[in-house]
Amino acid sequence: MKVEKEDVRRTAELARLTLSDDELSLLAEQLSTILEHMDALATAPAEDPGADDQPQQQAPVRPDVPGADQLVVSPEVMAPAWADDFFTVPRMASHDDQDGGRDVDGEAPG
C-alpha cells in the first residue's frame, strides 16, 4: 500500500501539525516503507510457536519457604548496642532543649 502526500497532509491537519512540502514527501515515503514491511510480515509463514526443534526448558524452582532469609552474621554482632531485640542508639543532643535539658515534649532525656 502506498501512502500519498495528501494522506499525510490530511492526517497532519487532524493532528494540528504544520508540515512543509519536503516533510510531507519524506513522511509519505517513510510510511509507505513501513507498510511494505508490514505486508511482508503478513505473508511470512507462521508456524506453531511450540513446534520448534528446541526443547522447552523450565527455570529451576526454588523452595517456597516463608520467613526472612537467614543472616550470615547475627544483628547483635553488628550493633553498637542491643537491648530487647532492638538496636539502641545514643540520644541526639539536638533533641534536647537548650534550657534545662528537656526535649520538645517536656520530658527529661534518657
Side-chain angles (χ1 to χ4, degrees):
M1 175 179 193
K2 184 162 172 57
V3 177
E4 300 294 330
K5 203 163 133 176
E6 284 306 313
D7 297 329
V8 177
R9 183 187 319 276
R10 178 67 182 136
T11 305
E13 286 173 4
L14 292 172
R16 296 184 177 149
L17 297 174
T18 304
L19 299 174
S20 68
D21 283 340
D22 290 339
E23 291 172 319
L24 289 172
S25 298
L26 178 63
L27 285 173
E29 181 183 328
Q30 290 175 343
L31 290 170
S32 293
T33 303
I34 290 170
L35 291 176
E36 287 173 16
H37 289 297
M38 296 303 293
D39 286 340
L41 287 174
T43 60
E47 298 175 7
D48 181 19
D52 58 353
D53 294 337
Q54 299 277 339
Q56 298 295 325
Q57 295 181 0
Q58 254 184 326
V61 179
R62 66 169 177 81
D64 192 14
V65 179
D69 292 337
Q70 296 297 318
L71 298 175
V72 175
V73 179
S74 68
E76 298 93 13
V77 173
M78 297 182 286
W82 185 262
D84 298 323
D85 295 330
F86 291 98
F87 291 107
T88 59
V89 294
R91 181 169 181 78
M92 294 178 60
S94 62
H95 288 182
D96 293 337
D97 184 13
Q98 298 301 325
D99 300 327
R102 301 268 178 199
D103 64 11
V104 287
D105 294 332
E107 296 179 16

